Amino acid sequence: MSSGIPAYRTHDGRQLELFRPVAGDVAARDARDLMSWPFFSLAKSRRVVPIDFRMGAVSIRVEATPEHGMATIWDADILIWAASQIVEARDNGLRTSRLMAATPYEILTFIGRTDSGLGYHRLKAALDRLQATTVATSIRQPAARWRHRFSWINEWKERLDDRRRPLGIELILPDWFYAGVMDETLVLTIDRAYFDLTGGLERWLYRLVRRHGGRQPGGWSFDLRHLHLKSGSLSPFKRFAFEIRAMVARQPLPGYRLSLASGSDGLQRLCFRPEDSDPHPPAGGRIRL
């Protein structure tokens, strides 16, 4: 069956081929760049205020439309699904493409959502936000003055049966995202329990912890004001710090333990380490204070 999206050609004239999901149990993978930096709204309410982030050589500008609002960290689950499928196919020697096709069931079950009318409605709303949100970033650009501008999804289409019931979805990923996923050094496996996290801040923090903490026995740490900046959150710092302390109390992140400490500069820091590591690392450990 041919794609419902017209023949799409890359900048060098090559036509994109349709890529379908890999069968079987596929590990969840996330893109390191998306785990490290503020690309998504952490709120379930509609956000139209841009994210304007600068740190060293990294600049990120995320803009939303009033109609759809900014893509959220829950919408990013679709990109995790896409990354997981692409990496699985690549690792098995299969051809991949930025032009992907799937059924709503395949996407929704992978990201832990129900395959219902409401689930499909929310899936379409997420696709709309991903397409309507624009990003301009210096990350992975060859020159300091270059910026790559894109939407999380270039375009998408749905296919319906005669009764207008959903049969399939086709979408085109941006080259910036696809190139990052195809680089095996820029992708990490994540715990499937991530999809069970309900709070935007705890989802963001898990991705950051997984990206920076990895499986280092000594763990890692960030001061809270640095974390607040990296989150791109609109919450005031006082509220942000309160929510971080609440997370330390309830320990919601799969595979990691959180704690608070004071650094040599007197600032409060969030420390995190793998659950199975020594809670009292020896001198010279990797806790960053």
Side-chain angles (χ1 to χ4, degrees), residues 207 214 243:
R207 298 172 86 191
E243 292 180 353

Side-chain angles (χ1 to χ4, degrees), residues 3-9 15-16 99 155 157 170 172:
S3 168
I5 294 177
Y8 188 89
R9 296 186 180 277
Q15 183 173 323
L16 290 177
L99 174 57
E155 57 181 284
K157 283 192 174 184
E170 296 172 357
I172 299 175

Side-chain angles (χ1 to χ4, degrees), residues 103-116 119-120 123:
T103 64
Y105 175 82
E106 288 169 325
I107 299 175
L108 290 169
T109 54
F110 184 89
I111 63 178
R113 315 276 181 91
T114 59
D115 180 34
S116 62
Y120 182 58
L123 175 64

Side-chain angles (χ1 to χ4, degrees), residues 246-262:
M247 274 194 278
V248 171
R250 69 176 187 273
Q251 298 292 332
L253 304 192
Y256 293 93
R257 296 290 295 176
L258 306 176
S259 61
L260 291 168
S262 293

